[in-house]
Amino acid sequence: MASAFDEMNGADGEIREAYAALKRWLDTAPPDHLALRRSQAELFFRRIGITFAVYGDSESTERLIPFDIIPRVLTKPEWTRLEEGLVQRVTALNAFLADIYGPRECLKAGIVPEDLIYRNAGFRPEMVGRPVPHGIYCHIAGIDIVRVGPDDFYVLEDNARTPSGVSYMLENREVMMRLFPELFTENRVAPVENYPDSLLATLRSVAPKTAGRDPVCVLLTPGQYNSAFYEHSFLADKLGIELVEGSDLFVREDVCYMRTTEGPKRVDVIYRRIDDDFLDPLAFRPDSVLGVPGIVSAYQAGNVTLCNAIGTGVADDKAVYSYMPDIVKFFTGKDPILNNVPTYRCREKESLSYVLDNLHELVVKEVNGSGGYGMLVGPHATKHQIEDFRRKLKTAPDGFIAQPTLALSTCPTFVASGVAPRHVDLRPFVLSGADKVRIVPGGLTRVALKDGSLVVNSSQGGGTKDTWVLDA
Amino acid sequence: MLSRTADNLYWVSRYMERAEFLARILDATARLATLPAAYGGAGNEWQSVLLTAGAAEAFEALYDEPTERNVTEFLAFSPENPSSIRSCFERARSNARAVRTALTGEMWEAINGAYLELRRYDPKSMSREEFARFLEWVKSASLAFDGSAYRTMLRNDNYWFSRLGVYLERADNTARILDVKYHVLLPENETVGGSLDYFQWSTILREVSALTAYHWVYRESLKPWLVADLLILNRQMPRSLASSYENIVRFLDEIGRAYGRQGVSQRLSRTILARLENTRIEDVFRGGLHEFISGFVADNAKLGSAINDQYLV
């Protein structure tokens, strides 16, 4: 593994332009000032309640996600290119979904193998031949980006189901602006606070034809025991829409209503943060108590819009991911602006034997896994773990892909020993409405706080940073 | 607003109010239990407090003897008693968390603070003095919540449903205090209004922070019918049934006006208030205090389920 690109110090140790002002500030700020600000930031997060789930009924089921006070900085040209690449990728993603649930041109053309779609756990036969409002399936996407050099950005994952984390993007900025107002006068940072407005505009744009001028949008949550409940209530509040649970909604004659103190009220758009499987006990898992019986039938009748659509999981499958460059080219007619990380599909014989021979150097991922679970990081794994994965790969090769271990870029991070480089990734949130694609500049930067660690997931000890896109 | 949101707000208030009620009756019982028999100490105070709390049956399923230790544990700390002070705070917080955005920051902090603080109390090693301090703390936590709701909430349906919870619970609690004390504490050979039950009546007043109020209103020594008058019919007394129902009618009217529709709840609440307004305390005693109170508790519960059917499901 090559040594990592540091976003502040660059490849040659010369401070990169984007970080110049930040570096001066880091050099002049007394260390106890930073420590003080960090504890203030933590206090702030506790007070506003990001820790809700921390005091769960079993005392410590969840924690505060650590926040690093040193921001991650992107320049305007860097962001412009990323933005173009993201729009292109998500546009292709939506076209791909419309195609596989519609004419299936890309399967006929042999771009993606058919069985990869039809045997995919995320594929929903219920959606075949049923166009969705305005042809948009993935209204909210979280595209995970990693960087390995000054100009080398890769897409690591497309999260096309119910990506989370955007509340941290918003709260991180809020905290930074409160604690370090001086930094924002020295650096012209593009704002992110318009995200809720953009999201609401996106949701309203895809309302069904039956909706009036002022469509009723709601956010559907699995409830307060879900780990992302804080985000759900935060977003509903910022959007000014009702936060509903399955039992607040009901369907009568294919029309969806919510139960209010003034009687039933018709619902037009549902931003749902419940997985397909639990959405409707009549259509999917019959044991689901989180969902709304009949909602799928109301959806199919075109009386309510679900965001995201049912069946988007087929597009964020890691096996399908490996075909994304071809998918982008097929549907947009252009070369992808953002590349994939080179990926070995273990379902292919030659790839499998290469992977088995090089397990100690590769990252192996479960095709349907997420959250950093079910993953082998070869260079950091024990012999036992490697042998364990070798067995799994031989038994069910279709379930895995492998990628070279990337030297993820590092950013200066405030840790116990002072300021030190730590690996980061980036999750921008891409909103696709009937009228246009909207992206607020930046996204959520996740940072692996352990020295040398490449796993940024919060469930595995990762933290977050504010992400700046400099506007000048 | 969502029915579930209204339901949660209503129950948050009920649980916080109930926690305070429990603290008050436990405090009064501890005081009463120390009285010598000649002054009204009847020896069955800990049994009686279970009846007041409406929890005797649930208690007997879990414990043998209504000793001080068992009863205080059951009413204050037991997770198995769905109406213990602990359970009330936990349920209030769980309801509040589900509708976090419908609460003001101050209300949330009051509830969350109480919930977190509660964990610091260890019932096992608690002395009588510590327990008394604990009860004081429960009262102040409930007051902090009530005050934060009163001072920070927008006056819309969120507020009205939250207040309905307070007053419905309060009316129920006041009625229970009156009923159980009257029948359980008074020894059989003692006449109503005799000298022996002086301390029992003063305890009732103490429970509802009304001992001083009594003297200001009546300027007399304690008389059972005047105590009953104060707690049932006197509209100046903020815990009285009449005062609670004035508020219930007012908030139900606000809701009816805002929604442009009246229903069973509005009609029923006005009927109950009218009954209270048209009753003299002599009538209450002539028909029997216990009968009057039982009728009231049933009416109050009926209104609770009418509100539930009309708005909360």
Side-chain angles (χ1 to χ4, degrees), chain A residues 47-49 51-53 55-59 221 224-226 229-230 233-234 236-237 242-245 247-248 258-263, chain B residues 1-7 93-95 97-102 108-109 112 115-116 119 157 161 255 258-261 310-313:
Chain A
R47 253 209 20 242
I48 58 174
T51 59
F52 279 178
Y55 305 105
D57 291 23
S58 56
E59 306 252 347
T221 173
Q224 59 166 311
Y225 299 107
N226 184 275
F229 179 75
Y230 169 73
S233 80
F234 172 87
D237 201 31
E242 291 289 356
L243 177 66
V244 301
E245 295 179 13
S247 58
D248 296 323
M258 62 176 155
R259 299 174 215 272
T260 79
T261 50
E262 294 175 81
Chain B
M1 71 189 293
L2 275 182
S3 297
R4 180 174 50 87
T5 306
D7 186 59
R93 180 178 179 275
S94 168
N95 275 276
R97 202 183 147 217
V99 290
R100 172 66 188 84
T101 54
W108 168 253
E109 276 173 31
N112 199 37
Y115 169 82
L116 295 175
R119 291 162 171 254
D157 41 4
F161 282 109
I255 292 167
Y259 295 170
R261 217 179 324 171
Q310 196 173 334
Y311 296 112
L312 307 182
V313 291

Side-chain angles (χ1 to χ4, degrees), chain A residues 146-183:
Chain A
V146 296
R147 183 180 199 177
V148 296
D151 298 309
D152 303 318
F153 292 90
Y154 291 112
V155 175
L156 186 67
E157 251 175 55
D158 303 283
N159 295 286
R161 281 171 281 189
T162 53
S164 62
V166 79
S167 58
Y168 293 101
M169 173 184 88
L170 295 167
E171 295 285 41
N172 288 353
R173 175 63 52 84
E174 183 65 28
V175 170
M176 287 302 290
M177 294 191 78
R178 281 195 194 199
L179 294 183
F180 304 105
E182 72 277 12
L183 278 178

Side-chain angles (χ1 to χ4, degrees), chain A residues 318-381:
Chain A
K318 291 189 182 68
V320 172
Y321 159 87
S322 67
Y323 294 92
M324 274 308 285
D326 302 325
I327 291 172
V328 170
K329 203 162 179 182
F330 183 78
F331 288 105
T332 66
K334 301 209 173 95
D335 284 329
I337 300 168
L338 288 171
N339 281 314
N340 263 13
V341 177
T343 302
Y344 304 96
R345 303 166 186 138
C346 301
R347 68 203 305 274
E348 291 167 8
K349 221 171 176 181
E350 273 174 39
S351 300
L352 178 64
S353 73
Y354 175 83
V355 170
L356 289 173
D357 289 344
N358 295 279
L359 276 177
H360 57 287
E361 286 180 350
L362 297 172
V363 176
V364 184
K365 295 175 178 173
E366 264 179 46
V367 170
N368 292 311
S370 68
Y373 292 107
M375 184 167 134
L376 175 81
V377 183
H380 295 173

Side-chain angles (χ1 to χ4, degrees), chain B:
Chain B
M1 71 189 293
L2 275 182
S3 297
R4 180 174 50 87
T5 306
D7 186 59
N8 277 312
L9 287 168
Y10 170 85
W11 281 104
V12 166
S13 298
R14 285 198 78 152
Y15 286 128
M16 292 304 280
E17 184 72 21
R18 190 173 298 173
E20 184 188 331
F21 166 69
L22 288 164
R24 287 183 181 283
I25 59 173
L26 280 168
D27 193 26
T29 306
R31 182 183 284 264
L32 208 54
T34 59
L35 282 182
Y39 294 89
N44 62 348
E45 292 81 8
W46 294 106
Q47 174 65 31
S48 118
V49 72
L50 287 171
L51 290 166
T52 310
E57 242 174 78
F59 177 86
E60 279 154 20
L62 291 168
Y63 298 86
D64 299 329
E65 288 280 315
T67 61
E68 175 181 359
R69 188 173 182 80
N70 287 347
V71 173
T72 53
E73 180 189 276
F74 179 73
L75 289 182
F77 299 108
S78 171
E80 290 173 75
N81 173 6
S83 285
S84 68
I85 291 173
R86 170 189 296 270
S87 299
C88 281
F89 279 166
E90 283 175 356
R91 286 171 170 221
R93 180 178 179 275
S94 168
N95 275 276
R97 202 183 147 217
V99 290
R100 172 66 188 84
T101 54
L103 302 176
T104 63
E106 285 83 355
M107 291 165 80
W108 168 253
E109 276 173 31
I111 292 176
N112 199 37
Y115 169 82
L116 295 175
E117 181 75 16
L118 182 68
R119 291 162 171 254
R120 304 237 299 257
Y121 287 98
D122 177 13
K124 297 252 167 0
S125 63
M126 204 175 268
S127 67
R128 277 213 176 85
E129 193 197 341
E130 282 165 334
F131 186 64
R133 268 209 303 271
F134 166 76
L135 295 177
E136 281 305 312
W137 169 76
V138 172
K139 283 187 242 172
S140 66
S142 172
L143 274 173
F145 170 74
D146 200 51
S148 66
Y150 180 70
R151 293 181 62 156
T152 61
M153 280 185 98
L154 273 178
R155 267 35 177 184
N156 57 16
D157 41 4
N158 277 8
Y159 180 70
W160 302 326
F161 282 109
S162 154
R163 292 281 101 178
L164 278 179
V166 171
Y167 288 109
L168 235 78
E169 184 70 25
R170 192 173 290 174
D172 179 78
N173 295 342
T174 301
R176 281 173 190 284
I177 288 177
L178 270 170
D179 191 39
V180 173
K181 285 292 182 259
Y182 197 81
H183 280 270
V184 174
L185 283 187
L186 199 66
E188 280 183 16
N189 57 359
E190 192 65 31
T191 51
V192 173
S195 63
L196 191 70
D197 62 351
Y198 174 89
F199 289 101
Q200 294 164 4
W201 286 110
S202 75
T203 306
I204 292 179
L205 289 176
R206 226 184 264 284
E207 279 179 0
V208 296
S209 295
L211 192 53
T212 314
Y214 177 94
H215 293 298
W216 278 106
V217 172
Y218 300 103
R219 302 187 182 281
E220 278 210 51
S221 59
L222 292 181
K223 304 267 174 18
W225 53 91
L226 290 183
V227 172
D229 183 67
L230 182 69
L231 293 185
I232 296 173
L233 302 180
N234 193 304
R235 294 159 77 159
Q236 294 175 21
M237 176 65 208
R239 286 209 67 109
S240 73
L241 306 187
S243 168
S244 296
Y245 262 80
E246 266 185 341
N247 282 297
I248 289 171
V249 167
R250 187 173 122 223
F251 292 120
L252 279 170
D253 281 347
E254 297 268 23
I255 292 167
R257 256 198 302 282
Y259 295 170
R261 217 179 324 171
Q262 307 262 330
V264 180
S265 311
Q266 280 82 9
R267 287 192 294 276
L268 185 54
S269 67
R270 273 187 231 120
T271 309
I272 299 174
L273 178 62
R275 201 175 298 149
L276 289 168
E277 283 174 338
N278 296 324
T279 301
R280 292 170 309 160
I281 201 66
E282 294 82 356
D283 307 332
V284 172
F285 277 90
R286 198 168 303 125
L289 180 60
H290 174 68
E291 286 69 20
F292 179 85
I293 294 291
S294 306
F296 175 83
V297 169
D299 283 346
N300 195 53
K302 207 188 287 172
L303 178 63
S305 64
I307 291 172
N308 189 63
D309 295 347
Q310 196 173 334
Y311 296 112
L312 307 182
V313 291

Side-chain angles (χ1 to χ4, degrees), chain A residues 7-23:
Chain A
E7 297 192 9
M8 182 166 80
N9 295 313
D12 48 7
E14 191 146 321
I15 301 302
R16 295 175 64 249
E17 184 59 32
Y19 279 84
L22 194 66
K23 173 71 176 162

Side-chain angles (χ1 to χ4, degrees), chain A residues 218-355:
Chain A
V218 299
L219 195 158
L220 176 61
T221 173
Q224 59 166 311
Y225 299 107
N226 184 275
S227 60
F229 179 75
Y230 169 73
E231 176 157 305
H232 305 163
S233 80
F234 172 87
L235 283 177
D237 201 31
K238 294 276 180 215
L239 267 64
I241 64 177
E242 291 289 356
L243 177 66
V244 301
E245 295 179 13
S247 58
D248 296 323
L249 300 179
F250 68 94
V251 174
R252 198 162 53 207
E253 288 169 6
D254 283 347
V255 174
C256 180
Y257 300 91
M258 62 176 155
R259 299 174 215 272
T260 79
T261 50
E262 294 175 81
K265 187 170 180 187
R266 185 167 176 151
V267 171
D268 301 307
V269 182
I270 302 177
Y271 174 24
R272 49 98 170 206
R273 297 289 296 257
I274 294 184
D275 291 340
D276 286 356
D277 274 343
F278 296 96
L279 207 47
D280 183 347
L282 301 181
F284 305 118
R285 283 180 59 156
D287 60 335
S288 170
V289 290
L290 305 174
V292 186
I295 193 74
V296 169
S297 140
Y299 179 53
Q300 289 174 333
N303 289 332
V304 65
T305 303
L306 294 174
C307 299
N308 290 344
I310 293 171
T312 54
V314 69
D316 73 3
D317 177 273
K318 291 189 182 68
V320 172
Y321 159 87
S322 67
Y323 294 92
M324 274 308 285
D326 302 325
I327 291 172
V328 170
K329 203 162 179 182
F330 183 78
F331 288 105
T332 66
K334 301 209 173 95
D335 284 329
I337 300 168
L338 288 171
N339 281 314
N340 263 13
V341 177
T343 302
Y344 304 96
R345 303 166 186 138
C346 301
R347 68 203 305 274
E348 291 167 8
K349 221 171 176 181
E350 273 174 39
S351 300
L352 178 64
S353 73
Y354 175 83
V355 170

